[in-house]
Amino acid sequence: MHAKDIMSTPAHTVPADAPVAEAVGLLERYSITAIPVVDDGGTLVGMVSERDILQQAASLTAPGGPPRRVRDVMGGLPVTAWPEADVSDLAAFMVQRDAHTVPVVMQEHVVGVVSRCDVLRTLLPTDEQAQNEAQRRLDNYAGGRRRWPLAVHDGVATVDGRFDDDKELAVAEALVRTTAGVAMVRMQARTG
């Protein structure tokens, strides 16, 4: 998988000249911990996080002072990824750099954002995610039809239905077994 497969898009960004309150509103509205900061041309110029804002909290709330802008509290240019970055490499890089959120850029413009949660979902998918992906694989193999319904519970996939022959059953079993989040496959399906 690549960054483009798991990134949140469109990416929410905040202008560097925006009031800090606008950044706080975006962080709150989208339930995110950091947001890319862009200049007037949409070029990535930094990142502002809840932590950046909290570190400046005393000066932000001082009475009579001028309103602070995002550029005054943002961090510098963040760690970035390109859309084709491998998710496992990105995960290692996020750990090495202690990055919680990584903007995905093309020609210095933000096209998406990958969070640690996005990466975790690919490494440890829920039963529902594994079931959806395994069912998608089976449906594709069946030419877009739902021939073999399946359910995943606690990592165990149970496949039902009728297969034309043992080869078709074996291919379907392999498709399900190699789905992330599936630890074991029970074939309740029949051949013939």
Side-chain angles (χ1 to χ4, degrees):
M1 294 188 78
H2 300 100
K4 67 181 180 183
D5 300 320
I6 66 168
M7 69 184 184
S8 298
T9 188
H12 302 292
T13 60
V14 64
D17 291 331
V20 171
E22 184 176 328
V24 171
L26 291 168
L27 293 171
E28 186 176 272
R29 181 178 319 135
Y30 297 113
S31 299
I32 54 179
T33 59
I35 190 166
V37 180
V38 295
D39 65 13
D40 292 337
T43 300
L44 180 67
V45 295
M47 195 83 162
V48 66
S49 68
E50 293 170 326
R51 181 179 182 181
D52 296 327
I53 295 168
L54 287 172
Q55 286 176 333
Q56 301 287 328
S59 65
L60 293 172
T61 58
R68 300 284 302 269
R69 301 289 172 193
V70 172
R71 71 175 170 271
D72 300 327
V73 297
M74 72 179 192
L77 278 173
V79 171
T80 61
W82 59 97
E84 298 298 326
D86 185 86
V87 171
S88 60
D89 293 339
L90 184 56
F93 194 66
M94 291 174 91
V95 170
Q96 290 169 354
R97 295 290 188 96
D98 194 29
H100 295 266
T101 306
V102 175
V104 179
V105 296
M106 285 182 62
Q107 301 173 349
E108 300 178 358
H109 288 81
V110 181
V111 296
V113 176
V114 174
S115 70
R116 285 183 177 179
C117 284
D118 295 327
V119 173
L120 285 175
R121 276 193 284 279
T122 67
L123 300 175
L124 301 168
T126 64
D127 282 346
E128 181 180 358
Q129 291 167 323
Q131 180 174 315
N132 290 341
E133 176 59 18
Q135 189 68 66
R136 184 191 67 76
R137 290 177 175 200
L138 288 179
D139 293 350
N140 283 346
Y141 179 59
R145 297 177 302 156
R146 173 98 14 123
R147 285 183 58 195
W148 310 294
L150 71 91
V152 177
H153 298 288
D154 295 329
V156 178
T158 304
V159 181
D160 200 1
R162 186 177 282 307
F163 289 90
D164 293 340
D165 55 37
D166 289 338
K167 180 181 175 187
E168 189 176 67
L169 185 140
V171 169
E173 183 178 0
L175 288 171
V176 175
R177 188 175 355 95
T178 58
T179 301
V182 173
M184 189 171 104
V185 179
R186 289 188 184 137
M187 299 300 285
Q188 293 183 340
R190 296 160 305 285
T191 59

